[in-house]
Amino acid sequence: MSLSHIALSSGRSIELTELRMSSTYGGMLEGYPCKPINDMKVRSLQRQAERAFPSTPVYLVPPSREYPDQTAGAFGPVEVLPSVACIGAFRSTAVAPELDPVLHRSALTVIWFQTGLDVPSGKDAAQVLRSIRWEELAQDYEL
């Protein structure tokens, strides 16, 4: 059973089977959001996704970065990522047309950032998710 379905811009339908959400800056006790901190957070999410879903390719949707008008600190200007970090496991029909559709599916683990706690769904999902190049990034597997 899936959590939601997303209609990609390509016309393919993908289903979200697992979703992990966390606060982007949860647990940050010192410092301020800046490029070095954000890059570490993104790398950490990539490692988490690779460990959680070792048999599936992982794709990072490049996050938007905002630069509020605040005084720069020792590590450079303030740089803020969206407040919610997400790791989602997605499934769809097989990419390779020669594979038996009864026995094969495709999978991709996606990392993205968003501002709210909404589960992406349908054609209302963020454009960054709807524009995923599934045929290039996902991997086919046998059931």
Side-chain angles (χ1 to χ4, degrees):
M1 183 169 147
S2 64
L3 297 172
S4 73
H5 288 83
I6 296 176
L8 298 182
S9 300
S10 67
R12 176 182 286 272
S13 176
I14 61 174
E15 60 182 29
L16 177 62
T17 58
E18 185 172 335
L19 177 60
R20 298 176 183 196
M21 293 179 149
S22 61
S23 170
T24 300
Y25 298 110
M28 187 171 164
L29 301 176
E30 292 186 35
Y32 63 98
C34 57
K35 183 171 177 36
I37 295 292
N38 291 338
D39 290 347
M40 282 191 304
K41 289 193 171 293
V42 169
R43 283 192 304 274
S44 174
L45 272 176
Q46 287 180 296
R47 285 191 303 275
Q48 286 177 41
E50 290 165 355
R51 282 193 307 270
F53 304 97
S55 62
T56 306
V58 174
Y59 172 66
L60 168 69
V61 174
S64 64
R65 296 170 188 248
E66 293 185 12
Y67 300 90
D69 189 20
Q70 296 179 1
T71 304
F75 298 108
V78 175
E79 178 185 270
V80 181
L81 298 173
S83 59
V84 181
C86 303
I87 299 174
F90 291 92
R91 304 286 181 261
S92 185
T93 57
V95 172
E98 68 274 6
L99 293 176
D100 184 341
V102 175
L103 297 176
H104 295 88
R105 300 283 185 278
S106 58
L108 180 65
T109 301
V110 180
I111 302 164
W112 75 97
F113 291 83
Q114 61 186 38
T115 57
L117 294 174
D118 298 330
V119 174
S121 183
K123 292 184 179 182
D124 295 329
Q127 185 60 36
V128 293
L129 290 177
R130 295 190 60 234
S131 62
I132 289 173
R133 299 175 326 276
W134 190 267
E135 286 72 15
E136 297 173 28
L137 299 168
Q139 177 178 312
D140 289 330
Y141 66 96
E142 187 173 0
L143 295 175

